Amino acid sequence: MTVTGAQHHDAAGLTSRGWWWWERRRSAVLDVGLGVVSAFECALEGVSFAGQAGVPAPVGVVFGLVAGASLVLRRRWPIAVVLVSIAITPAQMGYLMGLVGLYTLAASEVPRRLTGVLATMSLVGTFIVTSVRLRHGVGTDADDPGAVFVVLVSVFMSLGLTAPPVLYGLYIGARRRLMESLRERADSLERELVLLADRAEERAEWARTEERTRIAREMHDVVAHRVSLMVVHAAAIQAVAPKDPAKASKNAALVGDMGRQALTELREMLGVLRAGEAAKAPVAVPLAAVRDAAAAAAASAGEDGPCLDELETLVGQSRSAGMTVEFVVEGAVRNYHALVEQTAYRVVQEALTNVHKHAAGAKTWVRLAYRGSEVAMQVENGPSDAGVADAGLPSGGNGLVGMRERVTALGGV
């Protein structure tokens, strides 16, 4: 049950278990009270009926009590209550039971055709009993008003005792069904809002995960490559410093350049993160904008990232670190989307970093091929040079995973 439905039922006074067929205490109290009043009315009218029928008065009273008390069952069996009221109409008793029974029948879920039949039976019964009573009462008088008076009074009496409770019951039943329909719609809308909120949270979490993954890839590529070159140069400085101070000084300058480049790229990335945090405001964001925001962030990062024109510089940095690298370009040079060029650059960068880590001193071939709407990269290395000392670079195992994620995200292989 939703919150709206629970509040409605609590406000209506529902009991925890209910009393028999009553769902609310006040309904039970009302029906019992109506039953007592109806039984008392029928008991009084039973005395007159017993006199007319020639039976003892206690019999009429008991009959009236039993018949009138059946009004207590009006919610459980409204058809039975109306039938009892029609049955005792000739005894000129049960007026309250007839009114309340017809109202309950019209307001219930009983088919309208059956309601019409029972209301017609009650109307006809009241008309006949009223007509007979009027004819019997004034038929011997000299100033007999005639049949027209009897018919008019009988019609008014039968309509007055039948039409108002039926019409009012139909109105209450329609209003009750409308309220239930509106309540069900409100509960349905509440459930839909909960589902939409859950989906929005899932989308937001997905966007945050995607952004964290992208930032982790960028930082891995920047830090791993630059720091790997710095470690290689530092090892070279340590090896050549006693023999060739000039070359050691040159390598030290390269280490400084590498460190400054790494810091610059890290500052740029952190600046983007801080700008993104500063742009956040405590306002509602449309659900459809979550995915677009993540895509826009990735696109903006791609526009500011490296491109294919910088591959020559990248290869030159590895050469300066002592790696023998052959760089070949095939096909007519052309421009691609910024994300494509950045991905190609990062793939070559990660491959060269892996050569530094796992195949120190190996000869390496880097091939770049422009193929119309596609671009292909190949990085291949020979066996490691046993004469070159391993720089001892750590490996987190995330490089190839990030490379694959970058390529497959753009539909590549």
Side-chain angles (χ1 to χ4, degrees):
M1 180 182 296
T2 59
V3 178
T4 304
Q7 292 176 349
H8 166 75
H9 282 67
D10 291 342
L14 275 173
T15 61
S16 58
R17 297 179 56 186
W19 293 358
W20 292 335
W21 57 84
W22 291 290
E23 295 181 348
R24 292 174 290 186
R25 294 188 182 92
R26 64 181 185 181
S27 299
V29 172
L30 175 62
D31 288 356
V32 171
L34 289 174
V36 171
V37 174
S38 176
F40 181 73
E41 175 203 358
C42 292
L44 293 179
E45 295 168 344
V47 176
S48 175
F49 169 70
Q52 296 176 2
V55 296
V59 175
V61 172
V62 173
F63 175 75
L65 288 175
V66 174
S70 64
L71 185 60
V72 178
L73 309 175
R74 69 185 186 95
R75 296 180 191 268
R76 182 71 172 181
W77 295 291
I79 298 176
V81 172
V82 174
L83 289 176
V84 171
S85 69
I86 295 174
I88 64 176
T89 299
Q92 300 180 14
M93 65 174 61
Y95 294 103
L96 176 63
M97 183 168 60
L99 292 172
V100 178
L102 287 174
Y103 160 77
T104 306
L105 180 68
S108 65
E109 300 297 330
V110 174
R112 292 291 167 257
R113 182 177 301 177
L114 182 57
T115 301
V117 171
L118 293 177
T120 303
M121 291 174 59
S122 177
L123 176 69
V124 173
T126 305
F127 177 81
I128 294 174
V129 171
T130 304
S131 299
V132 171
R133 184 177 181 182
L134 287 175
R135 288 183 182 277
H136 179 72
V138 300
T140 57
D141 296 340
D143 53 348
D144 186 0
V148 176
F149 174 78
V150 173
V151 171
L152 289 177
V153 173
S154 300
V155 168
F156 285 132
M157 283 291 294
S158 58
L159 287 177
L161 294 176
T162 305
V166 171
L167 294 177
Y168 186 63
L170 292 175
Y171 165 73
I172 293 298
R175 180 175 177 272
R176 183 182 302 155
R177 286 187 291 272
L178 176 61
M179 294 299 296
E180 292 177 355
S181 175
L182 293 177
R183 192 174 301 115
E184 290 177 357
R185 291 184 61 184
D187 294 342
S188 176
L189 289 175
E190 184 179 1
R191 289 191 294 270
E192 290 180 3
L193 288 176
V194 172
L195 291 177
L196 288 176
D198 293 341
R199 291 178 182 176
E201 182 62 25
E202 291 176 359
R203 292 179 181 177
E205 183 62 27
W206 172 85
R208 287 192 293 268
T209 303
E210 288 293 317
E211 189 64 12
R212 285 195 296 267
T213 303
R214 186 188 66 81
I215 293 173
R217 284 199 301 263
E218 292 292 331
M219 296 188 70
H220 172 271
D221 293 340
V222 171
V223 174
H225 182 71
R226 301 295 183 189
V227 174
S228 297
L229 293 179
M230 291 169 64
V231 172
V232 171
H233 281 291
I237 292 173
Q238 185 179 7
V240 304
K243 302 176 182 179
D244 192 350
K247 187 175 181 179
S249 176
K250 181 180 179 181
N251 287 338
L254 289 174
V255 171
D257 292 338
M258 295 292 178
R260 282 186 288 272
Q261 291 176 6
L263 288 175
T264 300
E265 294 185 6
L266 287 175
R267 287 195 186 98
E268 291 177 354
M269 295 181 62
L270 294 176
V272 171
L273 292 177
R274 292 195 182 97
E277 293 177 356
K280 293 180 181 178
V283 295
V285 179
L287 299 180
V290 177
R291 186 185 299 271
D292 297 339
S300 62
E303 294 176 357
D304 298 334
C307 58
L308 292 177
D309 294 338
E310 301 178 20
L311 281 180
E312 184 66 38
T313 303
L314 179 67
V315 172
Q317 293 173 354
S318 294
R319 287 171 180 165
S320 64
M323 180 188 296
T324 302
V325 185
E326 181 180 341
F327 181 53
V328 179
V329 179
E330 300 176 359
V333 178
R334 54 169 299 172
N335 294 326
Y336 297 94
H337 190 275
L339 281 176
V340 175
E341 295 202 4
Q342 180 186 3
T343 299
Y345 180 92
R346 294 302 187 191
V347 167
V348 176
Q349 183 184 57
E350 177 62 26
L352 292 177
T353 302
N354 287 339
V355 175
H356 284 292
K357 289 182 178 179
H358 309 295
K363 184 177 181 180
T364 306
W365 295 266
V366 178
R367 297 181 180 88
L368 177 66
Y370 294 92
R371 300 175 180 174
S373 60
E374 298 179 348
V375 60
M377 302 83 64
Q378 181 182 16
V379 181
E380 183 180 0
N381 66 275
S384 176
D385 188 356
V388 178
D390 189 357
L393 293 170
S395 176
N398 297 317
L400 294 179
V401 176
M403 185 188 301
R404 180 179 180 84
E405 290 176 351
R406 285 181 179 277
V407 174
T408 55
L410 299 179
V413 295

